[in-house]
Amino acid sequence: MKIAAISDIHGNLYALMKVLEDIDEQRVDKIVCLGDLVGYGPHPNEVIALIRRREIPCIKGNYDASVVDGEYTFIRNTTINSFSLPWAVNEVRVSNKYYLDSLPLKLEYSINGINVVFTHGSPTKINEYLFEDGENTSQTMQDFSGDVLVCAHTHIPSCKNFDNKLFVNVGSVGKPKIGRPNCTYALIDISDDGKVNVSIREVEYEFKRIVKDCVMLNFPSAITQSYESGQE
């Protein structure tokens, strides 16, 4: 079974559309979204509509949760967020806030004898950063009872074995932090005999389109430039 895991779209419709095109070419059996559909980007309602139209199972991200409650409960109170959060709270339709609020905090699947758990941050905290070499990541994987943990939130893709467990971070579709303006997502292929193969795919898209939209909407230059540089 081949699964495409996407996350951190952050209101970037152009990136999501291009990634879904690439996923369709990979002939996957299932797509799972790890959350953060909204925040930063100018297309939150359109992104939610596309995820729902494609019937993609999705979990709640920390920015999704903050847009629902309208507070800095799960995100940092930074200069960028002081613009981005109120903008998204005002822009996201009430019906879409209900959708975001209804999303689960994790998804679990048993595939060919392999237990795969999808979370946004860590299994215990929606906004915990799990970097592959972090001490908290090592502890998380030690405590983890499944076989494969798939997470996001850092916007930096990675894959690492922790003894007999596998850690995967899928990166970000809509707001990458890899030093390039490209989308990333993970392909997780679990064979009939339970062998797991993971590849990180990097997809180019027309990032100048979202830059243009942000400029037209008078978004802060820090947001606009992040799409060009692939950095925070």
Side-chain angles (χ1 to χ4, degrees):
M1 185 175 187
K2 187 185 290 186
I3 302 171
I6 64 176
S7 189
D8 294 272
I9 303 159
H10 285 298
N12 188 340
L13 180 64
Y14 307 128
L16 176 60
M17 291 172 65
K18 194 66 177 179
V19 163
L20 289 177
E21 286 180 14
D22 190 77
I23 288 172
D24 288 341
E25 292 175 359
Q26 307 308 311
R27 295 179 172 275
V28 304
D29 300 293
K30 192 178 194 65
I31 305 173
V32 178
C33 180
L34 279 62
D36 271 7
L37 306 183
V38 301
Y40 304 120
H43 315 126
N45 293 303
E46 294 85 349
V47 164
I48 293 171
L50 182 52
I51 291 291
R52 298 183 75 174
R53 185 162 65 247
R54 291 285 300 254
E55 298 182 339
I56 296 172
C58 188
I59 59 181
K60 186 188 298 181
N62 65 302
Y63 221 116
D64 302 327
S66 287
V67 167
V68 168
D69 70 15
E71 302 289 343
Y72 294 93
T73 314
F74 304 102
I75 64 173
R76 294 170 292 169
N77 189 352
T78 63
T79 301
I80 288 179
N81 284 334
S82 69
F83 168 85
S84 182
L85 178 61
W87 189 91
V89 169
N90 183 66
E91 184 73 11
V92 175
R93 298 188 187 106
V94 172
S95 60
N96 283 333
K97 288 178 183 176
Y98 281 122
Y99 167 74
L100 294 176
D101 194 34
S102 73
L103 296 175
L105 293 176
K106 67 178 179 179
L107 288 170
E108 296 186 47
Y109 298 99
S110 180
I111 303 167
N112 298 331
I114 302 298
N115 179 245
V116 186
V117 178
F118 297 87
T119 66
H120 183 73
S122 74
T124 58
K125 196 172 181 181
I126 192 173
N127 58 350
E128 182 175 7
Y129 290 97
L130 294 181
F131 296 98
E132 63 176 347
D133 295 323
E135 289 185 15
N136 64 322
T137 304
S138 180
Q139 185 62 53
T140 294
M141 294 306 295
Q142 183 177 325
D143 298 338
F144 180 58
S145 60
D147 299 303
V148 182
L149 175 63
V150 187
C151 65
H153 186 49
T154 67
H155 296 208
I156 299 173
S158 59
C159 183
K160 184 176 180 178
N161 285 298
F162 288 81
D163 295 326
N164 61 337
K165 305 171 188 177
L166 182 61
F167 167 84
V168 181
N169 191 306
V170 306
S172 171
V173 168
K175 204 171 183 296
K177 298 178 184 177
I178 56 174
R180 298 177 296 281
N182 299 336
C183 320
T184 62
Y185 73 94
L187 281 179
I188 304 161
D189 197 352
I190 303 175
S191 65
D192 292 341
D193 59 359
K195 293 181 179 179
V196 183
N197 181 64
V198 177
S199 59
I200 303 295
R201 289 193 62 81
E202 186 172 329
V203 180
E204 295 181 356
Y205 78 104
E206 295 180 60
F207 64 89
K208 291 183 179 179
R209 294 180 69 189
I210 194 167
V211 168
K212 182 179 178 181
D213 289 358
C214 288
V215 170
M216 289 177 62
L217 291 167
N218 295 314
F219 275 30
S221 60
I223 293 179
T224 305
Q225 291 168 5
S226 71
Y227 293 116
E228 299 174 310
S229 65
Q231 296 177 332
E232 188 172 17

